Amino acid sequence: MHVDGACHCGAIAYEAVIEEDKVQICHCTDCQTLSGAPFRASAPALAANFKLLRGAPKTYVKTAESGNKRVQAFCGDCGAPIYATEEGRPRYFNLRLGAIRQRAEIVPKRRIWCGSALAWSLDVRTIPEKSV
């Protein structure tokens, strides 16, 4: 699926072809902390299918307990997360679903690190709604 996206302030923009069958939600504690949310959703795009159109993201390299290093890319102006990828020569860019313009059309196919999930985040339908 062809997508385009941008950070909140518009300083960074991109286009990509994502692999819809690999879109996922991650409940790991790193994703909770890095996103400021109970989970993070991402859509992978092969490096050859990802193109920055505007701006250059700021990056932070997170070293996991396993020793794996993941580059976290975000807008240096507004702070919006853009993608995560491998350090060095990336094969994939895991695009943050919230920055993709077509996000309403993209449905995650799996959830990972569910053992770290906040219990209430697994079913928000029971939380009372308020129309705004």
Side-chain angles (χ1 to χ4, degrees):
M1 171 181 191
H2 186 271
V3 299
D4 58 279
C7 64
H8 191 264
C9 72
I12 297 171
Y14 63 86
E15 64 182 12
V17 176
I18 64 165
E19 296 185 11
E20 288 181 89
D21 60 325
K22 294 182 180 176
V23 175
Q24 66 184 15
I25 291 172
C26 182
H27 291 279
C28 79
T29 56
D30 282 346
C31 282
Q32 290 174 22
T33 302
L34 288 164
S35 69
F39 54 82
R40 181 162 53 181
S42 60
L46 284 168
N49 295 332
F50 173 77
K51 181 180 179 184
L52 274 173
L53 301 175
R54 181 173 57 249
K58 186 172 172 97
T59 60
Y60 164 71
V61 178
K62 167 62 174 111
T63 303
E65 289 180 27
S66 66
N68 290 339
K69 295 180 185 295
R70 298 285 297 162
V71 176
Q72 308 293 321
F74 57 95
C75 176
D77 293 332
C78 68
I82 305 297
Y83 62 78
T85 192
E86 301 98 343
E87 190 176 44
R89 190 163 211 211
R91 295 173 295 148
Y92 278 92
F93 288 89
N94 289 306
L95 305 176
R96 301 311 180 206
L97 204 59
I100 297 174
R101 188 174 56 86
Q102 298 84 358
R103 62 187 165 266
E105 302 166 33
I106 303 168
V107 179
K109 301 299 189 254
R110 68 181 188 150
R111 293 181 297 132
I112 61 173
W113 291 97
C114 295
S116 303
L118 302 175
W120 61 263
S121 73
L122 298 174
D123 185 4
V124 296
R125 294 174 295 180
T126 61
I127 299 172
E129 293 182 19
K130 180 180 179 183
S131 297
V132 181

